[in-house]
Amino acid sequence: MASPKLVKVGNITVGLVPIADIHVKRKNFRRMSEAQRATLKQSIAQHGFKSFLLVCKDADGNGYELIDGHHRLDELIAAGED
């Protein structure tokens, strides 16, 4: 994906952004056990991604800061998504 594809819906914006544009600035203190990670992988394989990653524009406007969805982002990267 070369550029974001965003749509305004009411007072929020939804869409697709390149994974390379998402920056993790805050540490995710929630840890998943191996069993939880395996369950997440199986759910994604069976049903696809059913939840959005929540991001906001970086202060410099050149990317997006990840707010929620750290584990899902890890799985997208592991799956080779872009």
Side-chain angles (χ1 to χ4, degrees), residues 3 12-15 20-23 26 29 32 47 52 79 81:
S3 62
I12 65 169
T13 303
V14 297
D21 291 352
I22 299 174
H23 310 287
R26 288 181 262 208
F29 293 101
M32 292 182 85
H47 306 290
F52 292 108
E81 297 293 332

Side-chain angles (χ1 to χ4, degrees), residues 17-53:
V17 299
I19 288 176
D21 291 352
I22 299 174
H23 310 287
V24 179
K25 294 185 178 180
R26 288 181 262 208
K27 187 172 177 78
N28 182 14
F29 293 101
R30 183 172 170 262
R31 299 288 173 234
M32 292 182 85
S33 69
E34 287 303 314
Q36 289 171 317
R37 187 167 300 281
T39 300
L40 176 61
K41 283 184 179 193
Q42 180 182 15
S43 175
I44 291 168
Q46 191 171 22
H47 306 290
F49 279 86
K50 297 294 183 188
S51 300
F52 292 108
L53 300 179

Side-chain angles (χ1 to χ4, degrees), residues 44-73:
I44 291 168
Q46 191 171 22
H47 306 290
F49 279 86
K50 297 294 183 188
S51 300
F52 292 108
L53 300 179
L54 179 60
V55 299
C56 66
K57 276 291 227 178
D58 280 343
D60 60 13
N62 292 325
Y64 300 87
E65 180 181 352
L66 182 65
I67 304 299
D68 183 54
H70 293 75
H71 300 300
R72 287 172 278 145
L73 178 62

